[in-house]
Amino acid sequence: MISQTAEYALRAVVFLAEMGGKGVTTEQIAQPTQIPAAYLSKVLQQLSRVGIVQSQRGLGGGFSLKIKTNKLSVLDVVNAVEPIKRITECPLGLDAHAYKLCALHRRLDEASELVERAFAQTTIADLMSNTKGKNVFTFPLSNKEGSRKPSQRRKS
Amino acid sequence: MISQTAEYALRAVVFLAEMGGKGVTTEQIAQPTQIPAAYLSKVLQQLSRVGIVQSQRGLGGGFSLKIKTNKLSVLDVVNAVEPIKRITECPLGLDAHAYKLCALHRRLDEASELVERAFAQTTIADLMSNTKGKNVFTFPLSNKEGSRKPSQRRKS
C-alpha cells in the first residue's frame, strides 16, 4: 500500500518519538528499525528538509523529532518522502476524459483518497498510545502474551 | 495505489465489458486501452487462468468476459493479477510483534483493508453505469462538455 521508503520513514519517526527528544545517531536508529544505514540517511535528510526532524551536531547531538507527536500525522511523514499518488488527469490522455475522469479512474482515485484521509487522521501519538505503554521498538512481552504458544501466532 | 499491471487489467476488463460479449483480439484491445501488446498478452493470460476472461479460437473468436459485469468486482480483477498486499506478520520479524501487529503496522494494514473493501464493493457494471451511457474507451463528447474551454480542464 505504501512504498518501502514511506515505511522506513514511519519506522524512523516512531523510533524518534519513542526517544522523546533525545538526540540519536543514524546508527542508533538503523539497528532497531532494521533500515539499511545509507537508505536511512537519505530518509532522514528528506524528513529534515520538510522540518519533521532536526539534527544537532556535537556531543549529545543527533536526530530528534521537531514536531510534537500529536501534531504530526502519518500522512505528513508519508508525503515528506513519497506522496500518495492521486489521479488528477486521465492516465490515457483521452480528450474526452480531460474534463472529468472516467468512472474507472475516479474510483481508483477515491481509493487513494480513502488512504490519504485515514493517514491524515492518524497521528504519531496515536501510534504510540495504541501500543498501551509498550513501545514499538523496545518491547517487553507481557506475561499473557509471553505464555502463548507459537502455534497461536497470528496468521490471518 | 495500485500497480501498473492491475491498472492494465482493469482497463482491459472495462474494454471487454464495453464489447458486450463480442470476441476481440489482443491487438483490438491494445490500441484503445494503450496497453503494450506483449504486456497485455500476459495480463489476459492471468485473467483467463482465474476464469475472468475466456478466449475462443477461429473466425469471430477472441477474448471476451466470462463473468457478468455485475458479478465481477474491481477486487476480483486486481487480485487476479497482483493482490493487494496485507500485513499479517511483523515486517521487522520482532518476536514481540508476532502475536499482535504493532500500532504502526496495524494502521498500515487497515489502510490496505479500506482499499480492499472499496474495491470489493465496486463492480465492473458500476464503472460502466457511472459513465451515464458513455463508454470509457469509446466516448462521444456531449455538447455541454464539448463546448467547455480547455482552460476549464480539471486540474485539481
Side-chain angles (χ1 to χ4, degrees):
Chain A
M1 192 53 47
I2 63 166
S3 69
Q4 185 70 275
T5 310
E7 154 97 32
Y8 283 169
L10 283 167
R11 284 190 205 170
V13 165
V14 170
F15 181 78
L16 290 177
E18 290 182 356
M19 291 298 106
K22 186 174 165 267
V24 283
T25 64
T26 307
E27 291 67 32
Q28 286 171 321
I29 305 169
Q31 197 274 330
T33 57
Q34 296 180 30
I35 308 172
Y39 204 146
L40 176 60
S41 280
K42 279 189 196 170
V43 168
L44 289 170
Q45 258 176 29
Q46 289 175 287
L47 293 171
S48 300
R49 206 175 301 140
V50 297
I52 290 177
V53 312
Q54 58 194 352
S55 64
Q56 204 107 35
R57 291 179 182 276
L59 202 68
F63 290 96
S64 60
L65 270 193
K66 203 175 169 182
I67 300 178
K68 283 188 178 163
T69 56
N70 62 350
K71 299 287 181 201
L72 183 62
S73 74
V74 168
L75 186 63
D76 294 331
V77 177
V78 170
N79 275 348
V81 293
E82 209 162 293
I84 290 171
K85 285 191 190 90
R86 296 294 302 271
I87 306 172
T88 54
E89 294 197 344
C90 174
L92 293 102
L94 300 179
D95 278 348
H97 299 177
Y99 305 98
K100 194 166 152 289
L101 289 176
C102 71
L104 169 61
H105 289 113
R106 202 164 56 244
R107 292 293 182 129
L108 292 180
D109 186 52
E110 280 167 9
S112 299
E113 195 182 4
L114 271 180
V115 171
E116 217 176 60
R117 208 178 310 143
F119 285 176
Q121 287 166 354
T122 309
T123 67
I124 300 304
D126 291 334
L127 297 186
M128 302 179 74
S129 61
N130 275 358
T131 58
K132 287 181 186 159
K134 277 183 265 173
N135 286 339
V136 176
F137 295 106
T138 54
F139 33 79
L141 272 176
S142 74
N143 278 342
K144 200 178 158 202
E145 285 186 340
S147 66
R148 281 195 200 165
K149 288 175 201 148
S151 62
Q152 290 173 294
R153 184 169 167 154
R154 183 185 160 167
K155 280 259 190 199
S156 64
Chain B
M1 190 54 46
I2 63 167
S3 69
Q4 184 69 277
T5 309
E7 154 98 31
Y8 283 169
L10 284 167
R11 284 189 206 170
V13 165
V14 169
F15 180 77
L16 290 177
E18 291 181 356
M19 290 299 104
K22 184 173 166 269
V24 283
T25 64
T26 308
E27 290 68 32
Q28 285 171 321
I29 305 168
Q31 197 273 331
T33 58
Q34 297 181 29
I35 308 173
Y39 204 147
L40 176 60
S41 280
K42 280 190 196 170
V43 168
L44 289 170
Q45 257 175 30
Q46 288 175 288
L47 293 172
S48 300
R49 206 175 300 138
V50 297
I52 290 177
V53 311
Q54 58 193 353
S55 64
Q56 204 108 33
R57 289 180 185 278
L59 203 68
F63 290 96
S64 61
L65 269 193
K66 203 176 169 181
I67 300 178
K68 282 189 179 162
T69 56
N70 62 350
K71 299 285 181 202
L72 183 61
S73 73
V74 168
L75 186 64
D76 294 330
V77 177
V78 171
N79 276 347
V81 294
E82 209 161 295
I84 289 170
K85 285 191 191 91
R86 296 294 301 269
I87 305 172
T88 54
E89 293 197 345
C90 174
L92 293 102
L94 299 178
D95 279 347
H97 299 177
Y99 305 97
K100 193 167 152 288
L101 288 177
C102 71
L104 169 61
H105 289 114
R106 201 163 59 245
R107 292 294 182 126
L108 292 181
D109 186 50
E110 280 168 9
S112 299
E113 196 183 2
L114 271 180
V115 171
E116 218 176 59
R117 206 177 313 142
F119 284 176
Q121 287 166 355
T122 308
T123 67
I124 301 303
D126 290 336
L127 297 186
M128 302 178 74
S129 62
N130 274 358
T131 57
K132 288 182 186 160
K134 275 182 266 172
N135 287 339
V136 175
F137 295 106
T138 54
F139 33 79
L141 272 176
S142 74
N143 278 342
K144 202 178 156 203
E145 284 187 339
S147 65
R148 280 197 201 165
K149 288 175 201 148
S151 61
Q152 288 172 297
R153 185 170 168 155
R154 182 183 160 170
K155 281 258 189 197
S156 63

